[in-house]
Amino acid sequence: MTITAVLFDVDGVLLDSTTAHRRVWDEWSRLRGLSAEKVWQLTFGRRPEDTVRDAAPHLNAAAERRVLDQLLSREEDHFPAVEGAAPLLRSLPAGKWAIVTSGDRESVHRRFAAADLPLPDVQVFATDVEQGKPAPDCFLLAASRLAVDPSQCLVVEDAPVGARAGKAAGCTVVGLTTTHPANAISAADFCVPTLQQVGALLIAHGMITDVSEGMMPFSG
């Protein structure tokens, strides 16, 4: 496998957003009289409006997105960086990595700044593509903007739908088991528990030379 570029999902991969998102979706479910657990299982790696369409097709997805955004605005102090994210991102060469997220530009920029994480030149957000994950559009767009063949891209994903999107795009996918067990991310080529092991993989393939904090050997 040749790795020329890395495409990172954001929530659950670079930002620890699970607790904040769970509170938001639980409150929205309560307001709409829906099963919080059933709704929660539909959220991972997806645009909020896509989750709404599946969970409550009788509701207006655009209007509910505005409600969700209001609920989410109360959580802005609760998106810390995933352990190892900062040193890994700072070790990557410019123009060789991207973020590919179902989130929106303004929120992601604000949270990256609060978590002291660098932003890449290439950023793909929910509104940049017609079809969200598990469609491959977002990863294909990121690869195109980086001028790299998808087959030479490593996708780092924590969500089953994201892993499926990466594989559909023709990328190699590593599943990060921060929010799901390895058997739930079965579309991934292999799984690792930490970003430190993602860094070790990139060192092994010659894309980076060192990550300063807490490296673990890669054994995928």
Side-chain angles (χ1 to χ4, degrees), residues 42-199:
L42 296 172
T43 65
F44 290 96
R46 308 181 71 204
R47 299 179 295 190
E49 52 269 42
D50 292 335
T51 296
V52 170
R53 290 186 186 103
D54 279 358
H58 60 288
L59 297 176
N60 182 290
E64 296 305 312
R65 172 62 190 262
R66 291 190 290 272
V67 173
L68 287 160
D69 286 345
Q70 290 175 348
L71 293 173
L72 198 57
S73 68
R74 306 173 188 173
E75 301 286 345
E76 283 307 319
D77 294 332
H78 299 94
F79 293 88
V82 170
E83 184 179 359
L88 176 58
L89 297 185
R90 292 192 177 100
S91 74
L92 291 164
K96 295 296 184 181
W97 65 286
I99 57 172
V100 183
T101 175
S102 297
D104 67 277
R105 181 181 301 272
E106 181 180 348
S107 296
V108 170
H109 281 205
R110 187 167 56 247
R111 292 166 194 164
F112 266 54
D116 195 27
L117 293 178
L119 282 163
D121 295 332
V122 172
Q123 306 162 27
V124 176
F125 299 95
T127 54
D128 292 328
V129 292
E130 184 174 343
Q131 296 186 81
K133 303 170 185 176
D137 306 34
C138 53
F139 291 117
L140 291 172
L141 179 59
S144 174
R145 288 179 176 176
L146 289 168
V148 175
D149 190 279
S151 66
Q152 296 185 3
C153 291
L154 180 73
V155 166
V156 186
E157 265 283 358
D158 69 305
V161 294
R164 295 205 304 272
K167 289 303 296 180
C171 305
T172 298
V173 177
V174 55
L176 192 67
T177 57
T178 49
T179 62
H180 291 81
N183 61 5
I185 324 173
S186 57
D189 293 284
F190 47 86
C191 292
V192 298
T194 68
L195 285 176
Q196 287 88 344
Q197 287 189 302
V198 174

Side-chain angles (χ1 to χ4, degrees), residues 5-21:
V6 188
L7 313 179
F8 291 96
D9 178 38
V10 171
D11 292 311
V13 172
L14 301 175
L15 293 176
D16 184 0
S17 55
T18 301
T19 300
H21 281 165

